[in-house]
Amino acid sequence: MSTADVPAPLIIEAATKGIQLDIVPFIRTEAVERAGEMPERARNVVFTSQHAVEALTGSGGTDGWKIFCTSGVTRRLAVEYFGEAAIAGTADSAAALATVIIGAGVEKEVWFFCGDQRREELPTLLREAGFRVHEVIVYRTALTPLKLERTYDGIAFFSPSGVESFFSVNSVETAAALFAIGRTTATAILARTGRAAIVSSKPDKELLIHQMIAHFTL
């Protein structure tokens, strides 16, 4: 089972290998009203979530941005919406991205476009390094817990919020393999279950599903 939507070709790919991949989302994200109004002074811009990038689709006032973002789908969407030339740095996690920004030699003022449940690591590290961090909430996350009626051999998680939502009403079989898109999500799983998750080699949704498929077919 995947706790977030994934592209239909992945469901088909799993089926061709004898795996039923159910999609049961456990969170819902909504763009904040008027999120498209950009701060005029924004230059060094940070994204750690695909939802933040998507919330700014079609926004004006983005010329001259230097974008620092996490890799995987967040970077792909940033390139799609803002262009490859706008990408100034990338990393596999928010903490690692903070290190990239600190070492980039840019002005010590950044605009962090994020959700209302964003993690503390990046803004904390930047502020400790003397950066002025403007946090702009552009989307909100709502938990959508659902009590499952069946058990699964493997479950993929894509955010700490998804982990919180899932385990608020569910438990997992001891034999079930748990998969996490990144270290922070894996940490949330460990806190809830006392078990280590299989972590994606990159924070990429499709890559994690491919790893899950491989786990059950190799």
Side-chain angles (χ1 to χ4, degrees), residues 23-36:
I23 310 301
V24 186
F26 276 82
I27 63 171
R28 182 182 68 252
T29 60
E30 298 177 347
V32 173
E33 187 177 0
R34 303 174 71 86

PDB file of all heavy atoms in Angstrom, residues 23-36:
ATOM      1  N   ILE A  23      -3.717   2.404  -3.237  1.00  0.00           N
ATOM      2  CA  ILE A  23      -3.427   3.799  -2.902  1.00  0.00           C
ATOM      3  C   ILE A  23      -4.453   4.269  -1.886  1.00  0.00           C
ATOM      4  O   ILE A  23      -5.654   4.326  -2.172  1.00  0.00           O
ATOM      5  CB  ILE A  23      -3.485   4.703  -4.152  1.00  0.00           C
ATOM      6  CG1 ILE A  23      -2.640   4.117  -5.284  1.00  0.00           C
ATOM      7  CG2 ILE A  23      -3.047   6.117  -3.793  1.00  0.00           C
ATOM      8  CD1 ILE A  23      -1.170   3.936  -4.933  1.00  0.00           C
ATOM      9  N   VAL A  24      -3.971   4.602  -0.675  1.00  0.00           N
ATOM     10  CA  VAL A  24      -4.864   5.085   0.376  1.00  0.00           C
ATOM     11  C   VAL A  24      -4.224   6.328   0.994  1.00  0.00           C
ATOM     12  O   VAL A  24      -3.428   6.231   1.926  1.00  0.00           O
ATOM     13  CB  VAL A  24      -5.105   4.009   1.464  1.00  0.00           C
ATOM     14  CG1 VAL A  24      -6.163   4.509   2.458  1.00  0.00           C
ATOM     15  CG2 VAL A  24      -5.520   2.688   0.844  1.00  0.00           C
ATOM     16  N   PRO A  25      -4.529   7.528   0.472  1.00  0.00           N
ATOM     17  CA  PRO A  25      -3.914   8.750   1.014  1.00  0.00           C
ATOM     18  C   PRO A  25      -4.325   8.992   2.470  1.00  0.00           C
ATOM     19  O   PRO A  25      -5.488   8.809   2.835  1.00  0.00           O
ATOM     20  CB  PRO A  25      -4.454   9.848   0.094  1.00  0.00           C
ATOM     21  CG  PRO A  25      -4.840   9.134  -1.171  1.00  0.00           C
ATOM     22  CD  PRO A  25      -5.365   7.806  -0.707  1.00  0.00           C
ATOM     23  N   PHE A  26      -3.341   9.425   3.274  1.00  0.00           N
ATOM     24  CA  PHE A  26      -3.613   9.698   4.684  1.00  0.00           C
ATOM     25  C   PHE A  26      -3.434  11.171   5.053  1.00  0.00           C
ATOM     26  O   PHE A  26      -3.587  11.526   6.219  1.00  0.00           O
ATOM     27  CB  PHE A  26      -2.730   8.809   5.574  1.00  0.00           C
ATOM     28  CG  PHE A  26      -3.322   7.450   5.794  1.00  0.00           C
ATOM     29  CD1 PHE A  26      -3.156   6.457   4.846  1.00  0.00           C
ATOM     30  CD2 PHE A  26      -4.065   7.176   6.920  1.00  0.00           C
ATOM     31  CE1 PHE A  26      -3.711   5.195   5.026  1.00  0.00           C
ATOM     32  CE2 PHE A  26      -4.636   5.930   7.113  1.00  0.00           C
ATOM     33  CZ  PHE A  26      -4.460   4.927   6.160  1.00  0.00           C
ATOM     34  N   ILE A  27      -3.116  12.007   4.071  1.00  0.00           N
ATOM     35  CA  ILE A  27      -3.117  13.450   4.296  1.00  0.00           C
ATOM     36  C   ILE A  27      -3.724  14.134   3.073  1.00  0.00           C
ATOM     37  O   ILE A  27      -3.782  13.552   1.987  1.00  0.00           O
ATOM     38  CB  ILE A  27      -1.709  14.030   4.569  1.00  0.00           C
ATOM     39  CG1 ILE A  27      -0.800  13.838   3.341  1.00  0.00           C
ATOM     40  CG2 ILE A  27      -1.105  13.439   5.823  1.00  0.00           C
ATOM     41  CD1 ILE A  27       0.516  14.586   3.464  1.00  0.00           C
ATOM     42  N   ARG A  28      -4.147  15.365   3.274  1.00  0.00           N
ATOM     43  CA  ARG A  28      -4.642  16.191   2.175  1.00  0.00           C
ATOM     44  C   ARG A  28      -3.961  17.555   2.286  1.00  0.00           C
ATOM     45  O   ARG A  28      -3.845  18.115   3.381  1.00  0.00           O
ATOM     46  CB  ARG A  28      -6.165  16.364   2.276  1.00  0.00           C
ATOM     47  CG  ARG A  28      -6.772  17.191   1.132  1.00  0.00           C
ATOM     48  CD  ARG A  28      -8.276  17.362   1.303  1.00  0.00           C
ATOM     49  NE  ARG A  28      -8.616  18.204   2.458  1.00  0.00           N
ATOM     50  CZ  ARG A  28      -9.137  17.750   3.582  1.00  0.00           C
ATOM     51  NH1 ARG A  28      -9.378  16.456   3.737  1.00  0.00           N
ATOM     52  NH2 ARG A  28      -9.416  18.571   4.579  1.00  0.00           N
ATOM     53  N   THR A  29      -3.480  18.081   1.171  1.00  0.00           N
ATOM     54  CA  THR A  29      -2.858  19.403   1.187  1.00  0.00           C
ATOM     55  C   THR A  29      -3.699  20.383   0.384  1.00  0.00           C
ATOM     56  O   THR A  29      -4.294  20.023  -0.634  1.00  0.00           O
ATOM     57  CB  THR A  29      -1.429  19.376   0.611  1.00  0.00           C
ATOM     58  OG1 THR A  29      -1.464  18.922  -0.754  1.00  0.00           O
ATOM     59  CG2 THR A  29      -0.538  18.451   1.430  1.00  0.00           C
ATOM     60  N   GLU A  30      -3.738  21.626   0.868  1.00  0.00           N
ATOM     61  CA  GLU A  30      -4.508  22.674   0.198  1.00  0.00           C
ATOM     62  C   GLU A  30      -3.675  23.946   0.152  1.00  0.00           C
ATOM     63  O   GLU A  30      -3.084  24.353   1.171  1.00  0.00           O
ATOM     64  CB  GLU A  30      -5.812  22.949   0.947  1.00  0.00           C
ATOM     65  CG  GLU A  30      -6.759  21.758   1.014  1.00  0.00           C
ATOM     66  CD  GLU A  30      -8.000  22.049   1.829  1.00  0.00           C
ATOM     67  OE1 GLU A  30      -8.011  23.085   2.538  1.00  0.00           O
ATOM     68  OE2 GLU A  30      -8.950  21.244   1.775  1.00  0.00           O
ATOM     69  N   ALA A  31      -3.595  24.544  -1.022  1.00  0.00           N
ATOM     70  CA  ALA A  31      -2.858  25.797  -1.157  1.00  0.00           C
ATOM     71  C   ALA A  31      -3.538  26.890  -0.343  1.00  0.00           C
ATOM     72  O   ALA A  31      -4.767  26.944  -0.249  1.00  0.00           O
ATOM     73  CB  ALA A  31      -2.781  26.211  -2.626  1.00  0.00           C
ATOM     74  N   VAL A  32      -2.730  27.739   0.266  1.00  0.00           N
ATOM     75  CA  VAL A  32      -3.263  28.857   1.031  1.00  0.00           C
ATOM     76  C   VAL A  32      -3.782  29.915   0.075  1.00  0.00           C
ATOM     77  O   VAL A  32      -3.135  30.247  -0.925  1.00  0.00           O
ATOM     78  CB  VAL A  32      -2.175  29.458   1.945  1.00  0.00           C
ATOM     79  CG1 VAL A  32      -2.660  30.728   2.628  1.00  0.00           C
ATOM     80  CG2 VAL A  32      -1.750  28.428   2.993  1.00  0.00           C
ATOM     81  N   GLU A  33      -4.949  30.438   0.364  1.00  0.00           N
ATOM     82  CA  GLU A  33      -5.539  31.476  -0.485  1.00  0.00           C
ATOM     83  C   GLU A  33      -4.589  32.660  -0.616  1.00  0.00           C
ATOM     84  O   GLU A  33      -3.973  33.085   0.357  1.00  0.00           O
ATOM     85  CB  GLU A  33      -6.864  31.949   0.106  1.00  0.00           C
ATOM     86  CG  GLU A  33      -7.633  32.896  -0.794  1.00  0.00           C
ATOM     87  CD  GLU A  33      -8.973  33.290  -0.209  1.00  0.00           C
ATOM     88  OE1 GLU A  33      -9.288  32.811   0.894  1.00  0.00           O
ATOM     89  OE2 GLU A  33      -9.694  34.069  -0.854  1.00  0.00           O
ATOM     90  N   ARG A  34      -4.430  33.162  -1.853  1.00  0.00           N
ATOM     91  CA  ARG A  34      -3.575  34.300  -2.185  1.00  0.00           C
ATOM     92  C   ARG A  34      -2.099  33.987  -1.991  1.00  0.00           C
ATOM     93  O   ARG A  34      -1.258  34.882  -1.882  1.00  0.00           O
ATOM     94  CB  ARG A  34      -3.951  35.546  -1.347  1.00  0.00           C
ATOM     95  CG  ARG A  34      -5.387  35.961  -1.496  1.00  0.00           C
ATOM     96  CD  ARG A  34      -5.730  37.092  -0.550  1.00  0.00           C
ATOM     97  NE  ARG A  34      -5.095  38.340  -0.959  1.00  0.00           N
ATOM     98  CZ  ARG A  34      -5.611  39.199  -1.832  1.00  0.00           C
ATOM     99  NH1 ARG A  34      -6.770  38.935  -2.410  1.00  0.00           N
ATOM    100  NH2 ARG A  34      -4.986  40.321  -2.138  1.00  0.00           N
ATOM    101  N   ALA A  35      -1.762  32.671  -1.998  1.00  0.00           N
ATOM    102  CA  ALA A  35      -0.356  32.284  -1.839  1.00  0.00           C
ATOM    103  C   ALA A  35       0.486  32.761  -3.017  1.00  0.00           C
ATOM    104  O   ALA A  35       1.698  32.881  -2.908  1.00  0.00           O
ATOM    105  CB  ALA A  35      -0.234  30.766  -1.709  1.00  0.00           C
ATOM    106  N   GLY A  36      -0.159  33.058  -4.156  1.00  0.00           N
ATOM    107  CA  GLY A  36       0.591  33.450  -5.345  1.00  0.00           C
ATOM    108  C   GLY A  36       1.145  34.854  -5.308  1.00  0.00           C
ATOM    109  O   GLY A  36       1.867  35.253  -6.216  1.00  0.00           O
TER     110      GLY A  36
END
